[in-house]
């Protein structure tokens, strides 16, 4: 039977877009472990979390029973400006590779922030506004989250204070200016503005910063300013909830044409895009309705799933955030500055960690020169210049498609193309000039970082 003709790009109609986010935890038998108070080691209460986070977001964070959260109308309206995102059939890539595999990717780079992060930024800004807050604080690594949050805050007229990992602040002045265009203030982290920043600078003079450290600064600033709360663009379950819009749209688009993916691949930093992409598919797997292979792809220089331990850990270097049980390298782990793409976080979302622990998802790590080679191979055929983070998923999608050439299998591969790489041209330049290195931490380095794991 010939396949029905599948267009290069499948777009949903506006009336086919998801109207509720999906909370994967509702369908999990083994729920992720609760967040713990860093001092008492008792589960975090709603009240304690509300001192740092917005109330509605705390509710979403702690809720492991409600399967569907209706998306508020204002957020639906904002989504309509840049969603649905296209589900692309990579016909050109398949032809070029000569693979019998069918390759699809869900492209989230079609907005000014250049990534999927806007999906959660707009939700978080909305709830902050609903609560009557003045503004929010946050950290940003490569800059996508800060950009997305700046856009969302300016839309709802909220103040936005961004702590940007110092090496990115210096390497990516253009991202910084996009954020300022949307009215955010941007501070390189670690900074001397916060107690924790000063402490980290004393302990590690000349440090190029890390996400964990910028998180500590943003949390401290939120707690010291009336009317401010801290918001986070990855790692947390509320973020994964908002990002489920990616998977829900992808699944609706595939269902429309009767397509069922065999393998679903996503890059994994803190886990939000991967968690969002796989959510409705994983839900089917958990309910025993269908089976899929899921692959998380992480950098070899920051391999939390493939080489980390499953334990309670701090989400930040300053050790002031709640403890989460997750696959982690230790909150003191600072990836080598020679690591170019994002995905620098030391831990992994607790839901994905539990799914990985239960053998429901696989993980692979890849070195960065292979990642950039894959990015280039993809860009030259499919036209889109991918973000280095996204290229981790591309690398493994290409590997899988190439395997099908040998085996003759006509697998259907779906991967998440999380964003564009226009602000990452310094890294592309290093790759082109042959000066990019493949840093892989030694076992000793990983052991050392693990020393700071809290005793629970
Ligand atoms: C932030 C980011 C990622 C990684 O974050 P997750 O929370 O793991 O999704 C991946 N790709 C792009 C383009 C990003 O901006």
């Amino acid at each position: 039977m010939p396949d029905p003709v599948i267009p290069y790009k499948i777009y949903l109609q506006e009336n086919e877009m998801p109207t509720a986010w999906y909370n994967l935890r509702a369908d999990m038998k083994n729920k992720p472990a609760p967040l713990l108070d860093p001092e008492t080691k008792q589960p975090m209460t709603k009240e304690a979390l509300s001192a740092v986070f917005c109330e509605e977001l705390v509710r979403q964070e702690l809720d492991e029973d409600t399967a569907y959260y209706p998306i508020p109308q204002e957020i639906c309206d904002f989504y309509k400006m840049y969603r649905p995102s296209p589900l692309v059939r990579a016909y050109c890539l398949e032809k070029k590779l000569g693979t019998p595999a069918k390759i699809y990717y869900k492209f989230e780079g079609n907005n000014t922030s250049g990534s999927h992060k806007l999906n959660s930024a707009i939700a978080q800004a909305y709830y902050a506004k609903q609560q009557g807050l003045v503004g929010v604080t946050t950290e940003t690594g490569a800059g996508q989250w800060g950009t997305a949050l700046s856009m969302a805050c300016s839309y709802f007229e909220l103040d936005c204070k961004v702590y940007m990992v110092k090496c990115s602040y210096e390497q990516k002045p253009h991202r910084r200016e996009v954020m300022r265009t949307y009215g955010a203030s941007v501070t390189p982290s670690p900074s001397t503005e916060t107690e924790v920043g000063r402490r980290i600078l004393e302990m590690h003079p000349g440090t190029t910063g890390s996400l964990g450290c910028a998180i500590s600064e943003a949390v401290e600033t939120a707690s010291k300013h009336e009317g401010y709360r801290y918001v986070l663009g990855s790692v947390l379950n509320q973020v994964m909830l908002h990002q489920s819009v990616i998977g829900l749209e992808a699944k609706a688009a595939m269902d429309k044409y009767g397509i069922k993916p065999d393998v679903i691949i996503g890059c994994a930093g803190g886990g939000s895009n991967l968690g969002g992409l796989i959510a409705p598919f994983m839900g089917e797997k958990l309910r025993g309705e269908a089976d899929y292979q899921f692959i998380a792809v992480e950098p070899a220089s920051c391999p939390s799933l493939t080489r980390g331990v499953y334990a309670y850990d701090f989400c930040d270097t300053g050790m002031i955030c709640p403890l989460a049980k997750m696959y982690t390298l230790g909150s003191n782990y600072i990836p080598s500055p020679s690591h170019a793409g994002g995905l620098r976080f030391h831990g992994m979302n607790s839901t994905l960690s539990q799914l990985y622990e239960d053998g429901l998802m696989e993980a692979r790590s890849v070195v960065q020169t292979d990642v950039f080679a894959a990015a280039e191979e993809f860009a030259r055929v499919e036209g889109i210049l991918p973000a280095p983070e996204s290229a981790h998923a591309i690398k493994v999608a290409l590997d899988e498609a190439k395997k099908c050439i040998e085996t003759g299998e006509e697998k259907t591969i779906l991967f998440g193309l999380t964003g564009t790489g226009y602000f990452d041209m310094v890294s592309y330049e290093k790759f082109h000039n042959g000066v990019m290195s493949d840093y892989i931490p030694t076992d000793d380095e990983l052991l050392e970082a693990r020393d700071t794991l809290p005793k629970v």
Side-chain angles (χ1 to χ4, degrees):
M1 275 268 285
D3 280 347
V5 177
I6 293 168
Y8 273 73
K9 286 197 179 107
I10 307 177
Y11 280 107
L12 297 175
Q13 301 297 314
E14 267 180 29
N15 63 6
E16 296 169 319
M17 285 170 64
T19 54
W21 293 302
Y22 169 58
N23 182 9
L24 179 59
R25 286 170 291 168
D27 281 311
M28 289 169 70
K29 253 196 251 107
N30 295 340
K31 310 276 186 195
L35 294 171
L36 298 186
D37 185 300
E39 276 170 27
T40 65
K41 311 278 160 68
Q42 293 301 305
M44 287 296 289
T45 60
K46 205 170 158 194
E47 292 67 37
L49 282 169
S50 300
V52 180
F53 298 102
C54 302
E55 278 159 29
E56 174 59 24
L57 294 168
V58 169
R59 187 166 83 94
Q60 295 177 4
E61 191 63 34
L62 297 178
D63 184 351
E64 45 186 44
D65 302 312
T66 310
Y68 286 95
Y69 268 83
I71 306 175
Q73 191 57 47
E74 288 91 329
I75 301 176
C76 285
D77 292 343
F78 188 89
Y79 277 171
K80 281 178 195 158
M81 284 197 280
Y82 70 99
R83 306 199 69 82
S85 72
L87 177 75
V88 185
R89 171 76 184 264
Y91 280 116
C92 300
L93 181 63
E94 289 168 20
K95 194 168 155 208
K96 181 82 186 229
L97 293 173
T99 177
K102 301 179 176 74
I103 308 173
Y104 293 85
Y105 57 89
K106 180 75 171 156
F107 179 49
E108 291 291 320
N110 266 340
N111 68 76
T112 294
S113 82
S115 81
H116 64 288
K117 298 229 169 51
L118 194 55
N119 302 333
S120 183
I122 194 64
Q124 299 199 37
Y126 170 80
Y127 293 120
K129 189 70 183 181
Q130 287 293 100
Q131 199 178 321
L133 298 180
V134 183
V136 293
T137 69
T138 199
E139 79 297 331
T140 197
Q144 288 96 320
W145 167 246
T147 311
L149 189 68
S150 313
M151 291 172 71
C153 283
S154 72
Y155 185 75
F156 287 121
E157 297 178 332
L158 285 165
D159 184 37
C160 181
K161 297 185 195 296
V162 181
Y163 288 89
M164 186 169 186
V165 177
K166 193 183 269 166
C167 62
S168 297
Y169 183 91
E170 284 158 5
Q171 280 170 15
K172 301 193 176 183
H174 298 125
R175 277 245 179 249
R176 187 177 77 210
E177 292 316 312
V178 179
M179 287 184 249
R180 294 176 66 197
T181 299
Y182 283 96
S185 66
V186 188
T187 308
S189 167
S191 77
T192 52
E193 273 182 17
T194 62
E195 267 173 43
V196 62
R198 289 190 291 272
R199 201 170 78 218
I200 289 167
L201 280 173
E202 236 170 68
M203 279 162 55
H204 307 277
T207 175
T208 51
S210 70
L211 264 186
C213 157
I215 293 174
S216 303
E217 289 205 273
V219 170
E220 182 183 323
T221 302
S223 65
K224 286 187 176 161
H225 287 76
E226 183 77 25
Y228 281 77
R229 289 293 185 278
Y230 165 68
V231 294
L232 184 55
S234 180
V235 189
L236 296 177
N237 287 319
Q238 56 187 269
V239 183
M240 189 172 138
L241 174 72
H242 307 145
Q243 295 299 355
S244 69
V245 70
I246 304 173
L248 291 163
E249 274 184 17
K251 185 151 192 315
M254 293 189 126
D255 285 348
K256 212 170 151 176
Y257 287 88
I259 307 158
K260 185 183 168 294
D262 298 298
V263 193
I264 304 174
I265 301 165
C267 63
S272 74
N273 87 82
L274 174 70
L277 174 67
I278 70 173
F281 300 98
M282 183 62 90
E284 287 193 334
K285 180 163 172 152
L286 292 170
R287 295 189 303 268
E289 297 164 8
D291 197 15
Y292 305 94
Q293 181 187 11
F294 301 100
I295 309 175
V297 191
E298 57 185 15
S301 60
C302 196
S304 47
L305 287 171
T306 50
R307 294 177 69 198
V309 288
Y310 190 39
Y312 267 106
D313 194 9
F314 295 95
C315 293
D316 62 325
T317 314
M319 303 182 181
I320 52 181
C321 285
L323 303 176
K325 189 171 181 196
M326 57 186 174
Y327 272 85
T328 179
L329 298 166
S331 63
N332 230 14
Y333 183 76
I334 296 185
S336 149
S338 74
H339 171 63
L343 312 179
R344 297 173 65 93
F345 190 64
H346 63 271
M348 184 57 57
N349 166 273
S350 64
T351 301
L352 290 182
S353 291
Q354 185 63 49
L355 293 167
Y356 182 63
E357 176 72 7
D358 290 340
L360 292 156
M361 180 180 86
E362 300 164 32
R364 292 190 199 159
S365 74
V366 289
V367 295
Q368 64 178 351
T369 52
D370 287 350
V371 166
F372 278 81
E376 206 171 79
E377 195 175 345
F378 179 83
R380 288 181 184 181
V381 189
E382 286 291 314
I384 296 169
L385 189 130
E389 294 90 340
S390 322
H392 288 71
I394 296 175
K395 161 73 181 134
V396 170
L398 289 175
D399 288 349
E400 290 296 309
K402 287 172 187 171
K403 265 191 226 158
C404 290
I405 303 173
E406 286 157 31
T407 63
E409 280 175 292
E410 294 182 22
K411 275 193 188 169
T412 298
I413 299 169
L414 166 63
F415 73 90
L417 187 67
T418 50
T420 47
Y422 303 120
F423 290 108
D424 299 282
M425 297 325 289
V426 173
S427 304
Y428 273 91
E429 183 186 19
K430 279 191 190 146
F431 173 68
H432 295 143
N433 292 344
V435 295
M436 177 170 274
S437 61
D438 286 334
Y439 183 77
I440 302 178
T442 63
D443 288 342
D444 284 348
E445 270 172 274
L446 294 183
L447 273 177
E448 193 182 320
R450 241 178 252 166
D451 278 353
T452 56
L453 284 180
K455 306 263 175 299
V456 177

